[in-house]
Amino acid sequence: MNEDQLYLLVLYLIWAILFIVLIYRSVSKLKTFFLHSITGLVYSIYFAYNLKYNGAGGTSLAWLIYWMIIIGLHSFGFLVLIIYSLFKKKNILSL
């Protein structure tokens, strides 16, 4: 396992932990699960494909960094939704 794969693994572990917490805090657990898992799967397939087949020269580094940024933004969105659900009186988090 090289460093790039290790960075992606750490980011996906953080993503998974926040995803589990978000599902736990959500009212509509099934909707939340399918929405975010399908979204994550779509952008992961897109970036993995481009990293492998369109990553000639130095562009593979760009695809990897874009992939890490998207995972980070998705995780940040999870964090915002979790914090929102903590400060809301009722736990009404539809996403």
Side-chain angles (χ1 to χ4, degrees):
M1 180 178 283
N2 59 18
E3 276 186 48
D4 299 339
Q5 293 171 342
L6 189 62
Y7 292 146
L8 281 174
L9 179 66
V10 169
L11 283 172
Y12 269 118
L13 285 174
I14 293 169
W15 183 90
I17 291 168
L18 290 173
F19 184 50
I20 291 169
V21 171
L22 180 66
I23 289 173
Y24 177 75
R25 299 283 307 161
S26 177
V27 172
S28 171
K29 294 177 183 357
L30 194 61
K31 181 180 174 184
T32 302
F33 173 77
F34 281 118
L35 177 71
H36 290 289
S37 60
I38 289 173
T39 303
L41 184 66
V42 167
Y43 69 70
S44 293
I45 289 171
Y46 175 74
F47 284 114
Y49 175 82
N50 283 314
L51 186 65
K52 176 134 177 102
Y53 296 109
N54 295 334
T59 58
S60 61
L61 180 63
W63 286 113
L64 181 69
I65 290 173
Y66 292 149
W67 194 1
M68 289 179 182
I69 289 170
I70 293 297
I71 296 169
L73 288 174
H74 201 175
S75 299
F76 181 73
F78 286 162
L79 192 61
V80 168
L81 289 172
I82 291 167
I83 291 172
Y84 177 74
S85 73
L86 289 173
F87 288 115
K88 192 148 174 86
K89 269 192 173 187
K90 288 177 151 185
N91 189 10
I92 302 176
L93 185 59
S94 62
L95 287 179

